[in-house]
Amino acid sequence: MEHIVIIGNGISGVTAARHIRKLSDKKITIISAETEYFFSRTALMYVYMGHMTFEHTQPYENWFWKKNRIELKKGFVKTVETENKTLHFQDGASLTYDKLIIATGSKPNKFGWPGQDLDGVMGMYHKQDLENLEKYAPNNKVCKRAVIVGGGLIGIEMAEMLHSRHIPVTFLVRENSFWNGVLPEGESNMINREILSSGIDLRLSTNLKEIVADENGNVKSVIIDETGEELPCNVVGLTAGVSPNIDFIRDSGIEIGRGVKVNRYLETNVEGIYAIGDCAEQHEGIDQRRPIEAVWYTGRMMGETLAQTICDNKTQYKPGHWFNSAKFIDIEYQTYGWVWAQAKEHESRFYWEHEDGKKCIHINYDKTTREFIGINNFGIRMRHEFFDKILNEKRTVDYVLEHLADANFDPEFYKLHEKEIVAKFNQENNTNIQLKKKSWKRIFSKA
Amino acid sequence: MKAIKQTGLVLFLLGLAVFIGTIFTGSFSLKQAELDTFLKEQNYKSEVIGEALQKAVVTSNDLNIFQFSSAVRNAYATSNNHYDDLIAKYDAEKNWDEKGKQFQYKISGKPHSLSFSLAKSAGKGPAPDSTGLMWFLTFGLAIIGALMYIVPDVILLGKPGIKNNGVFLNAATNRGWIGWFAFIFLVTFYILLYFFPDYIVNWVYLVDPISNSISGNLASQWFLYGFLYCTVMSVMAVRMYIKYRHNKYQILRTTSVLFFQIVFAFLIPEILVRFEKPWYDFKNAFPLDYDFFFRWNLEELLASGAFGLFILVWGIVLTIVVVPVMVYFFGKRWYCSWVCGCGGLAETLGDPYRQLSSKTLLSWRVERIIIHSVLIFVLVMTGFALYTFFSGEGQVLGIKTQTIQDIYGFLIGSIFAGVIGTGFYPIFGNRVWCRFGCPLAAYLGFVQRFKSRFRITTNGGQCISCGNCSTYCEQGIDVRAYAQKGENIVRSSCVGCGVCSAVCPRGVLKLENGPEEGRINPTDVLLGNDVDLMDLVNKK
């Protein structure tokens, strides 16, 4: 029986394993050094915040793996010997495979800051980070202040986490507005305001110079580059992005760039070895995507796709229309299609913001053809299927606005803003778009 | 703010302590005249009981409620034993005539209930004598204290939005010691209420004036329970309003259950009594209202003229027409989460405990077996009751209808619905009864599962499997298992509370009443992955 070995029990590896089991009877082993069972990494923050226990982050009960004959092995892979298809573990053990899936995800970036390895400095990525946080920041008596360095999604989540336990947080962001490499100005500003109004000390255009130790090797303070100011603190969160976690294959002959190089079938240069998820790097970005996408959803899709290939239905990785979502403290964010931070030349934009400053949408469309390109929505939920269909059918921005009621995915009885949005669009663009009533028929008709 | 909260907590606990302490106050004894009145009202044929009761409770000794209860129950026992001895004696003598006569002298009814009705007129002490003051020191302090504890959350919780911070770090909401204390308190309360009402007669005194002003009668323990129910729901609804103030669905839903509880389950029935009509809760559908078809109820309704007939017809129409039609259009949520009293308590008092329901596959299996067994039980029992009613016989297939009714009333009506159903909130989550026991939920569930426009729609591939939805599902549904597959959630147990949708950080879930067609949509490959499905199917 063919033995499929998967390194990494994150969403990519586990999705691959589950789908291989659905499609075949192969022997499957998942290796992880982090935890015994699969958990949802994105939920770690809710454990610290007390919304859930760690067990709640595990989507499958512990018996699931045995029942589905997916073997779980706890261990840290040190090297991969591709010639005789063997994995060597740190503890000296080894394991042979027929096919190998590398799904080791990523690790937090460290940029060589002085003091970056002190006790009390951590990322927010692994289960161990969570345990560290419980140790160094259980409450605001032990941790009088925390400093977060880096302005992305994990940074703001970590700030929210610490804030939930009433620990004062200073948030150092290199850019001059939060996540403005991804978000257009309006949205980025909105999140700046959200962070500040939550009582988090947000400092834009600010870099970390060094982390200072006390006599015991613990964090004592940080020094800010621009001003030289010293901020006393007990915990430093480093959240300046992630990079592929692939150190163990550097000498294996598997081609790597920043990540493990794969083709559209998620195959590496070595036959029978594949890479998926955060650690995989496409030779060229697909569509307008980046070669490496450290996104939960793409990891899952790669797992689904690769399972097909491994089970003799060779399938290209063809991610559909781009989508993503996040939550910035109390503001939910979803995006469908492309809305770049800066409009491209052929693009036209429409931005609407609610008067309370907590809801907005940003629509991107082609100037000449008026084809809809993408939408950012903040504080309003939108229907994924709707936009997927719109993008498939290459509908115009006018069509989207006309059918905005079909797109709304907010809970029942919520206040609707469609009229206001369409009115603003009409006013700005001299159009006469009439909002249509929501239609179940349209919503559920399959294109 | 914190100081207000802490003061509130102290006041609440003080109110609670006085409330509990009230049980032990006062003294109970009767004057001969009072006893005579009681005996006359009860119309006992026994000659022994009067004497026995007189010895026991016509006294100048200060009996506390426990001594009083025991004295009264002894008197009943003395009387009944006396006639049992006679029965045995005549039985031995084969004197069937005399033996048969003795049965009429035996006193039926639960001893604690009889003792309650006697105690109700025998008490002296703070509760019956300074009712207003004592009401303030118990209900008053507890309400003020609870509100002082709850209202500062408007500011302390921060901006509107889902704030479950610390839920699993708190001893009250994480099966910690406070949770266990709440559990013991609630279970004890229900046991007293159902089985030892005489022990809490002092509490009933506290609501006498209120009962009197609504129905014109003094309170029973059920009036006390109804009043307490409405009070607890109102106070905890304030908490819901604050916690979910960003969520209109939750606010409307809370208002709706509160309205139906106070108006339909509490005020209207009591006012009906004032107009000498039968006590009836118009929203309480069979089989949750399991004694609707019992002989005593049917006879009472038939005896109250056109109005009774109207209730009878309404009760039947509610069950066989309104319920399925409404479930078809709106799912069972219209009842379980917008109307039902049990649901109302679960959504207000129980909301802090919703995350404690078990989501294991095992509990799902157990749940389906138990809830459907209860449904079968209630249907069989009702069949017996109706057969008995129309045929005039007392038994079916050698089983006494009364016996099966008593078993149901004890096991399901009291132990399951009350003691476990509410008492276990702090340990098993807030919908223990709805999830495992309620026969109406099982019935509504069948309709919802097979013929309804309701489902929870999931937003394609946006789920990050974080587990908030499953954790906060009071019905123990593993919502995430569906969401991460992009499948609509169509489950008989879903009561449509909407909290999974509220706690989802990615906007994945939406409660919808859409077209029935395509409601169940198992997905092979999730949205976002451009695999040609037809191609995939053809290759298989």
Side-chain angles (χ1 to χ4, degrees):
Chain A
M1 203 174 359
E2 197 175 35
H3 186 195
I4 313 289
V5 174
I6 303 167
I7 311 179
N9 70 346
I11 182 63
S12 317
V14 163
T15 306
R18 277 180 43 241
H19 283 256
I20 293 171
R21 177 53 71 241
K22 270 192 193 178
L23 300 165
S24 77
D25 207 29
K26 298 177 198 295
K27 181 176 175 186
I28 304 172
T29 306
I30 301 181
I31 300 167
S32 167
E34 188 183 11
T35 53
E36 204 169 342
Y37 299 106
F38 169 53
F39 70 98
S40 177
R41 190 174 303 288
T42 43
L44 279 181
M45 65 181 291
Y46 301 111
V47 177
Y48 179 82
M49 290 169 77
H51 294 201
M52 298 195 280
T53 64
F54 182 73
E55 287 65 37
H56 289 119
T57 69
Q58 298 176 337
Y60 307 101
E61 286 181 65
N62 293 347
W63 49 258
F64 175 88
W65 308 99
K66 198 168 179 194
K67 181 172 176 254
N68 287 287
R69 289 172 291 115
I70 297 174
E71 275 180 45
L72 304 178
K73 179 174 167 58
K74 203 164 180 197
F76 188 85
V77 178
K78 211 171 93 188
T79 52
V80 180
E81 213 180 310
T82 52
E83 312 255 297
N84 44 18
K85 301 194 169 184
T86 308
L87 302 178
H88 295 282
F89 291 88
Q90 198 157 43
D91 62 6
S94 62
L95 181 74
T96 58
Y97 61 84
D98 295 306
K99 281 184 178 147
L100 178 68
I101 302 175
I102 301 170
T104 47
S106 39
K107 56 178 193 216
N109 288 332
K110 289 184 176 181
F111 293 114
W113 290 294
Q116 66 182 13
D117 296 316
L118 290 171
D119 290 336
V121 181
M122 65 203 74
M124 189 58 233
Y125 196 84
H126 301 290
K127 168 125 195 283
Q128 286 73 24
D129 291 329
L130 186 72
E131 285 155 11
N132 257 332
L133 206 57
E134 280 291 356
K135 185 172 159 197
Y136 292 104
N139 55 48
N140 57 12
K141 304 253 168 11
V142 175
C143 178
K144 302 238 185 288
R145 175 168 291 277
V147 174
I148 313 287
V149 182
L153 296 177
I154 300 181
I156 190 171
E157 285 178 355
M158 199 169 178
E160 188 187 353
M161 288 163 70
L162 290 156
H163 190 66
S164 79
R165 292 207 189 173
H166 308 292
I167 294 169
V169 181
T170 297
F171 191 12
L172 308 184
V173 172
R174 191 179 53 175
E175 293 77 21
N176 60 16
S177 181
F178 178 79
W179 217 34
N180 64 0
V182 176
L183 299 179
E185 197 188 338
E187 290 95 308
S188 179
N189 273 332
M190 177 181 284
I191 303 305
N192 290 341
R193 292 196 306 266
E194 174 74 3
I195 297 170
L196 285 168
S197 72
S198 302
I200 292 166
D201 173 26
L202 173 67
R203 307 212 185 165
L204 298 167
S205 307
T206 305
N207 283 280
L208 172 69
K209 187 174 174 198
E210 70 168 290
I211 305 168
V212 183
D214 69 1
E215 60 278 8
N216 303 319
N218 291 324
V219 171
K220 189 177 87 178
S221 63
V222 299
I223 295 176
I224 288 169
D225 201 13
E226 284 74 11
T227 57
E229 182 190 352
E230 181 169 359
L231 268 176
C233 62
N234 306 96
V235 159
V236 176
L238 298 181
T239 62
V242 293
S243 42
N245 178 24
I246 54 166
D247 288 339
F248 69 106
I249 57 164
R250 288 204 186 277
D251 305 320
S252 64
I254 302 167
E255 189 191 351
I256 55 174
R258 277 188 59 224
V260 185
K261 290 278 194 183
V262 292
N263 61 17
R264 288 293 294 270
Y265 295 96
L266 303 164
E267 297 165 326
T268 66
N269 62 322
V270 180
E271 207 202 319
I273 299 186
Y274 310 83
I276 53 175
D278 286 14
C279 67
E281 178 179 356
Q282 289 284 327
H283 294 290
E284 278 165 29
I286 300 168
D287 184 17
Q288 307 194 54
R289 292 163 181 265
R290 298 176 197 199
I292 298 178
E293 279 184 329
V295 180
W296 202 90
Y297 310 115
T298 50
R300 193 204 68 222
M301 286 188 256
M302 287 189 226
E304 286 174 9
T305 312
L306 181 60
Q308 296 286 342
T309 299
I310 285 193
C311 298
D312 304 320
N313 173 29
K314 199 163 174 178
T315 305
Q316 265 200 8
Y317 173 52
K318 274 200 293 190
H321 301 292
W322 169 254
F323 65 90
N324 202 0
S325 57
K327 193 175 181 187
F328 303 102
I329 307 177
D330 286 316
I331 299 183
E332 286 176 22
Y333 153 68
Q334 294 174 329
T335 185
Y336 301 106
W338 295 113
V339 185
W340 314 103
Q342 303 291 333
K344 296 189 174 175
E345 202 150 300
H346 65 286
E347 292 173 352
S348 202
R349 296 286 179 88
F350 167 68
Y351 182 75
W352 167 87
E353 190 175 303
H354 187 256
E355 58 186 9
D356 70 4
K358 288 167 175 291
K359 290 173 187 165
C360 73
I361 64 162
H362 207 154
I363 296 179
N364 187 19
Y365 59 97
D366 193 285
K367 240 182 225 170
T368 43
T369 65
R370 296 183 77 76
E371 185 183 327
F372 172 82
I373 298 172
I375 184 170
N376 277 347
N377 42 290
F378 285 72
I380 298 178
R381 294 175 173 181
M382 297 280 190
R383 195 182 294 271
H384 193 161
E385 276 181 341
F386 175 86
F387 286 104
D388 214 55
K389 211 159 97 181
I390 293 300
L391 289 161
N392 278 336
E393 294 170 357
K394 299 190 188 303
R395 298 282 189 176
T396 61
V397 62
D398 310 78
Y399 182 92
V400 170
L401 283 160
E402 232 170 66
H403 297 90
L404 220 45
D406 293 356
N408 188 285
F409 203 68
D410 274 337
E412 289 162 305
F413 308 115
Y414 269 42
K415 205 169 155 57
L416 302 173
H417 305 287
E418 285 117 34
K419 269 189 193 150
E420 202 188 315
I421 293 169
V422 171
K424 184 166 191 257
F425 186 88
N426 281 336
Q427 193 199 348
E428 282 180 11
N429 297 281
N430 258 326
T431 47
N432 187 24
I433 296 167
Q434 299 292 320
L435 190 66
K436 286 199 172 161
K437 269 185 77 182
K438 168 170 163 171
S439 146
W440 289 117
K441 215 177 143 193
R442 280 196 304 267
I443 291 172
F444 289 113
S445 74
K446 298 277 173 217
Chain B
M1 282 298 147
K2 283 228 172 110
I4 297 177
K5 243 179 129 84
Q6 273 156 4
T7 315
L9 187 60
V10 170
L11 287 181
F12 172 79
L13 290 174
L14 204 64
L16 187 65
V18 177
F19 188 65
I20 294 170
T22 309
I23 293 180
F24 305 97
T25 64
S27 66
F28 294 80
S29 61
L30 285 170
K31 296 209 171 64
Q32 187 59 47
E34 288 168 330
L35 179 62
D36 290 342
T37 317
F38 173 80
L39 290 171
K40 214 168 164 191
E41 274 169 12
Q42 297 293 327
N43 206 11
Y44 292 138
K45 297 216 167 69
S46 161
E47 285 155 12
V48 186
I49 185 70
E51 203 182 320
L53 277 176
Q54 184 191 0
K55 263 194 237 158
V57 297
V58 179
T59 164
S60 54
N61 291 342
D62 284 345
L63 300 175
N64 65 38
I65 186 63
F66 305 102
Q67 294 163 327
F68 179 85
S69 165
S70 138
V72 172
R73 283 179 287 124
N74 280 336
Y76 287 122
T78 307
S79 171
N80 280 352
N81 287 342
H82 172 80
Y83 293 104
D84 279 339
D85 289 346
L86 284 181
I87 289 166
K89 186 182 140 215
Y90 291 127
D91 190 56
E93 292 169 4
K94 300 191 193 298
N95 186 347
W96 309 128
D97 266 7
E98 277 302 319
K99 182 190 169 192
K101 275 187 200 162
Q102 302 310 315
F103 283 99
Q104 60 179 315
Y105 299 121
K106 285 196 67 179
I107 297 166
S108 58
K110 293 176 189 151
H112 281 283
S113 302
L114 297 168
S115 150
F116 172 83
S117 28
L118 202 51
K120 196 70 205 306
S121 50
K124 287 160 214 67
D129 298 339
S130 2
T131 307
L133 175 69
M134 287 309 288
W135 189 92
F136 176 77
L137 291 177
T138 52
F139 280 92
L141 280 187
I143 293 170
I144 294 169
L147 288 175
M148 282 171 71
Y149 185 78
I150 288 167
V151 174
D153 279 349
V154 175
I155 289 156
L156 290 177
L157 281 183
K159 295 177 295 170
I162 282 296
K163 296 289 147 64
N164 284 323
N165 296 346
V167 164
F168 278 98
L169 308 171
N170 186 323
T173 50
N174 187 25
R175 294 192 191 108
W177 66 272
I178 300 176
W180 282 101
F181 264 99
F183 163 76
I184 292 168
F185 175 78
L186 287 172
V187 167
T188 313
F189 169 80
Y190 276 94
I191 290 175
L192 291 176
L193 178 73
Y194 282 118
F195 305 112
F196 305 97
D198 48 344
Y199 292 167
I200 55 170
V201 69
N202 273 321
W203 292 352
V204 182
Y205 280 127
L206 298 178
V207 292
D208 269 343
I210 301 166
S211 177
N212 204 8
S213 69
I214 303 174
S215 70
N217 297 323
L218 291 180
S220 67
Q221 85 258 36
W222 302 118
F223 182 88
L224 167 77
Y225 185 46
F227 181 77
L228 204 56
Y229 207 102
C230 294
T231 307
V232 167
M233 266 187 71
S234 305
V235 170
M236 290 301 278
V238 173
R239 178 189 161 281
M240 281 295 279
Y241 287 136
I242 294 170
K243 177 159 190 189
Y244 295 98
R245 63 193 188 278
H246 62 293
N247 190 319
K248 229 170 167 186
Y249 184 80
Q250 296 303 330
I251 286 177
L252 288 174
R253 192 173 65 88
T254 305
T255 308
S256 173
V257 280
L258 199 58
F259 168 80
F260 280 104
Q261 171 59 34
I262 294 176
V263 176
F264 278 71
F266 185 66
L267 290 178
I268 293 180
E270 293 295 333
I271 292 169
L272 285 179
V273 172
R274 168 161 289 233
F275 288 103
E276 294 179 350
K277 302 284 183 225
W279 191 103
Y280 183 68
D281 176 353
F282 283 92
K283 65 168 182 48
N284 200 11
F286 170 85
L288 179 58
D289 184 6
Y290 64 88
D291 51 14
F292 187 75
F293 293 107
F294 282 10
R295 172 179 288 276
W296 63 263
N297 189 49
L298 294 177
E299 277 172 354
E300 191 186 349
L301 293 180
L302 292 173
S304 359
F307 192 76
L309 210 58
F310 169 72
I311 290 179
L312 189 60
V313 172
W314 167 250
I316 294 168
V317 169
L318 178 65
T319 299
I320 61 178
V321 181
V322 178
V323 161
V325 168
M326 291 288 278
V327 175
Y328 174 74
F329 284 105
F330 305 114
K332 73 195 237 189
R333 58 177 167 158
W334 79 271
Y335 193 83
C336 299
S337 287
W338 287 74
V339 170
C340 178
C342 307
L345 193 69
E347 297 294 345
T348 48
L349 175 66
D351 183 71
Y353 303 114
R354 58 186 320 123
Q355 65 282 355
L356 300 175
S357 61
S358 166
K359 279 85 187 179
T360 59
L361 191 65
L362 177 71
S363 41
W364 185 19
R365 289 193 176 132
V366 171
E367 168 190 333
R368 283 177 294 171
I369 293 170
I370 300 182
I371 197 169
H372 295 132
S373 307
V374 175
L375 179 62
I376 292 167
F377 190 178
V378 82
L379 291 177
V380 169
M381 174 181 75
T382 304
F384 276 39
L386 287 174
Y387 177 81
T388 316
F389 180 77
F390 288 113
S391 70
E393 283 173 43
Q395 53 185 25
V396 186
L397 306 169
I399 304 168
K400 269 194 187 165
T401 301
Q402 190 59 46
T403 311
I404 196 168
Q405 288 177 351
D406 288 346
I407 293 174
Y408 190 92
F410 175 74
L411 281 183
I412 313 296
S414 309
I415 299 289
F416 208 154
V419 180
I420 298 175
T422 305
F424 281 39
Y425 277 6
I427 303 303
F428 285 164
N430 58 334
R431 286 262 191 182
V432 178
W433 162 246
C434 316
R435 183 182 176 191
F436 292 97
C438 177
L440 181 59
Y443 166 38
L444 295 160
F446 273 124
V447 183
Q448 170 160 290
R449 172 68 184 74
F450 294 107
K451 196 77 194 159
S452 164
R453 297 161 63 89
F454 173 72
R455 89 293 309 267
I456 304 176
T457 314
T458 58
N459 220 348
Q462 294 268 22
C463 172
I464 52 168
S465 298
C466 70
N468 270 294
C469 51
S470 291
T471 306
Y472 286 88
C473 176
E474 55 191 353
Q475 288 286 71
I477 301 171
D478 191 359
V479 183
R480 163 175 57 191
Y482 297 80
Q484 66 185 1
K485 286 183 243 165
E487 272 178 34
N488 290 344
I489 299 158
V490 179
R491 274 274 286 267
S492 24
S493 61
C494 176
V495 290
C497 69
V499 168
C500 57
S501 165
V503 298
C504 177
R506 296 292 185 271
V508 170
L509 305 155
K510 177 169 163 61
L511 281 59
E512 284 187 312
N513 311 311
E516 203 194 330
E517 197 195 337
R519 181 174 67 121
I520 300 171
N521 64 336
T523 46
D524 237 5
V525 174
L526 258 177
L527 199 60
N529 209 2
D530 256 7
V531 178
D532 187 340
L533 281 179
M534 280 325 288
D535 194 39
L536 219 131
V537 171
N538 292 337
K539 274 188 190 165
K540 266 183 190 167

